[in-house]
């Protein structure tokens, strides 16, 4: 296998907190990319160094890790705004375990997470597994899944378990548990990072809308795309086809907290709020839940205190000039909300509302 060299890629506009980023209206900044012609700029998405990016995460040095859904590559954005190609050759394959990240290949990565020791975790979605890159050695390994499609292994080692489309992965606040959206198995599973044991925490494998007040592990789900735990142990589950945000409480009971189940665009309380195929979520300050609302081209936020949904970017909200196309990844870091605008091959950020 040929070792892939790290490539330094010039970027039209790349900036982080140590740079002097271009300021847009209402404090929105471009991290990778630029403004579209419809926004008053000359950015052409096809010229981007990124190909359909989805997820980003940060290590202690504030390096931004970026994974591409369709491009099949892992990048890191380091101090000075330099984008480095770190792994993946663009092929849809599953190679490299036991060797350096630079030699590894992937298939449809959706997002990533960084452990307190700076190890990188990657949702290698269509390889049905989760992979881990050692920060010390850059060696990659599989920590959940076998690479084969299926459903098995609850109560045992995650490396022997099978999954069916590992979508998004999210660490709990203590970084001791990795929540895994096991899409085609219609379950959310939890990997104990200390013991390596995996278990199901929501979904029974059947397709359906869970009844409010039912036991999460006994209830159906439509299509769990992402799950994230807040500071008090509430596990939020986002469903794209269900157009809804659900929550699993500490006692294991599941409820729908936003979304009518019908595709649409509406802010408001539980009975009014509507989504358009939402894809990803993250937890922000005050345990607010930010949602990448894909087909609506908007970033939404659910406030558990008011139990209402509002829009913070896109469709004229926030910076009225910004036009999002298939926004997928959302991540909060150091008081900034990062938005991966996948359809425009760029990354934006704004101060967390």
């Amino acid at each position: 296998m040929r070792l892939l060299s790290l490539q330094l890629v010039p970027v039209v506009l790349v900036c982080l907190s140590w740079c002097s980023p271009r300021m847009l209206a209402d404090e929105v900044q471009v991290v990778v990319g630029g403004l579209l012609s419809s926004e008053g700029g000359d950015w052409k998405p096809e010229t981007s160094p990124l190909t359909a990016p989805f997820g980003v995460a940060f290590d202690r040095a504030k390096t931004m890790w970026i994974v591409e859904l369709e491009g099949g590559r892992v990048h890191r954005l380091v101090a000075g705004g330099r984008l480095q190609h770190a792994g993946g050759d663009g092929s849809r394959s599953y190679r490299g375990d036991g060797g350096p990240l630079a030699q590894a290949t992937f298939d449809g990565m959706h997002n990533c997470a960084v452990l307190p020791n700076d190890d990188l975790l990657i949702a290698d979605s269509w390889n049905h597994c989760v992979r881990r890159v050692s920060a010390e050695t850059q060696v990659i390994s599989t920590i959940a899944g076998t690479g084969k499609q299926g459903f098995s292994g609850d109560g045992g080692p995650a490396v022997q378990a099978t999954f069916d489309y590992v979508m998004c992965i999210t660490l709990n606040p203590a970084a001791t548990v990795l929540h895994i959206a096991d899409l085609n198995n219609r379950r959310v599973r939890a990997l104990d990072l200390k013991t390596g044991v995996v278990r199901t925490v929501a979904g029974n494998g059947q397709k359906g809308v869970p009844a409010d007040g039912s036991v999460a592990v006994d209830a159906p789900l439509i299509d769990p795309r992402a799950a994230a735990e807040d500071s008090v142990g509430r596990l939020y589950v986002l469903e794209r086809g269900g157009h809804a945000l659900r929550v699993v409480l500490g006692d294991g009971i599941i409820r729908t907290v936003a979304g009518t189940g019908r595709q649409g665009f509406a802010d408001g309380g539980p009975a009014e709020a509507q989504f358009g195929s939402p894809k990803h979520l993250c937890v922000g300050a005050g345990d607010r839940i930010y949602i990448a609302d894909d087909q609506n081209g908007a970033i939404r936020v659910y406030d558990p205190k008011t139990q209402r949904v509002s829009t913070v970017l896109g469709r004229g909200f926030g910076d009225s000039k910004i036009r999002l196309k298939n926004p997928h990844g959302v991540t909060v870091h150091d008081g900034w909300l990062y938005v991966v605008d996948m359809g425009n091959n760029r990354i934006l950020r704004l101060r967390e509302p």
Side-chain angles (χ1 to χ4, degrees):
M1 185 178 298
R2 181 172 60 89
L3 180 64
L4 296 176
S5 60
L6 294 182
Q7 300 175 5
L8 300 182
V9 183
V11 181
V12 173
L13 179 61
V14 177
C15 44
L16 287 177
S17 56
W18 50 75
C19 303
S20 299
R22 177 180 297 173
M23 191 71 67
L24 306 181
D26 298 326
E27 303 298 318
V28 175
Q29 299 176 1
V30 176
V31 179
V32 177
L35 293 177
L36 302 166
S37 59
S38 61
E39 301 166 335
D42 58 2
W43 174 244
K44 295 178 174 56
E46 64 272 16
T47 67
S48 177
L50 302 177
T51 302
F54 191 111
V56 300
F58 293 84
D59 64 19
R60 289 174 294 179
K62 298 185 179 181
T63 297
M64 176 194 282
W65 289 93
I66 307 166
V67 296
E68 297 177 327
L69 174 63
E70 296 175 11
R73 298 172 299 173
V74 179
H75 303 273
R76 54 188 166 209
L77 188 59
V78 299
R82 180 69 69 176
L83 191 68
Q84 297 178 337
H85 172 207
D89 61 7
S91 66
R92 297 186 57 179
S93 53
Y94 179 38
R95 300 191 302 269
D97 274 7
L101 170 61
Q103 288 183 318
T105 60
F106 305 91
D107 190 1
M109 292 174 284
H110 269 76
N111 78 321
C112 55
V114 176
L115 290 169
N117 70 347
D118 287 339
D119 283 4
L120 175 68
L121 305 180
I122 298 171
D124 196 357
S125 302
W126 300 324
N127 282 326
H128 315 292
C129 67
V130 178
R131 301 172 81 178
R132 181 173 186 163
V133 180
S134 167
E136 181 179 359
T137 65
Q138 287 296 291
V139 169
I140 191 169
S141 60
T142 296
I143 63 168
T146 64
K148 296 183 179 179
Q149 213 168 359
F151 174 72
S152 66
D154 269 7
V159 291
Q160 297 175 12
T162 54
F163 300 80
D164 194 346
Y165 278 31
V166 170
M167 286 288 120
C168 296
I169 56 174
T170 310
L171 291 165
N172 71 337
T176 57
V177 173
L178 185 72
H179 293 294
I180 303 170
D182 193 2
L183 178 65
N184 283 353
N185 284 322
R186 297 189 175 90
R187 291 175 170 91
V188 178
R189 301 169 80 179
L191 167 59
D192 187 316
L193 293 169
K194 294 182 179 178
T195 66
V197 171
V198 68
R199 63 188 177 94
T200 294
V201 293
N204 64 4
Q206 301 301 307
K207 184 176 182 178
V209 177
D212 280 357
S214 58
V215 177
V217 294
D218 296 331
L221 292 172
I222 299 289
D223 59 348
R225 290 283 173 151
E229 183 179 329
D230 72 6
S231 68
V232 294
R234 293 173 295 206
L235 179 66
Y236 288 89
V237 179
L238 188 67
E239 298 206 282
R240 183 186 188 190
H243 308 291
L245 177 67
R246 315 193 198 280
V247 66
V248 179
L249 303 175
D251 57 5
I253 297 301
I254 192 168
R255 299 182 184 280
T256 298
V257 295
T260 63
R262 298 184 302 275
Q263 184 170 352
F265 178 77
D267 288 341
E272 299 87 30
Q274 289 185 313
F275 301 104
S277 302
K279 292 291 291 288
H280 191 229
L281 81 171
C282 69
V283 181
D287 286 331
R288 288 173 302 204
I289 307 301
Y290 292 98
I291 298 166
D293 197 3
D294 180 36
Q295 293 300 300
N296 281 325
I299 305 302
R300 321 288 294 282
V301 60
Y302 169 76
D303 189 333
K305 294 179 181 178
T306 64
Q307 299 182 18
R308 295 181 66 83
V309 171
S310 57
T311 303
V312 298
L313 187 64
R315 297 179 69 105
F317 292 84
D319 178 357
S320 60
K321 289 190 296 189
I322 293 296
R323 299 291 183 267
L324 302 177
K325 182 180 180 182
N326 304 119
H328 282 184
V330 283
T331 300
V332 169
H333 178 72
D334 280 352
W336 292 93
L337 173 63
Y338 289 81
V339 176
V340 182
D341 189 14
M342 192 193 83
N344 288 319
N345 286 328
R346 65 181 179 176
I347 300 173
L348 307 175
R349 74 174 187 175
L350 61 154
R351 281 292 179 188
E352 188 182 350

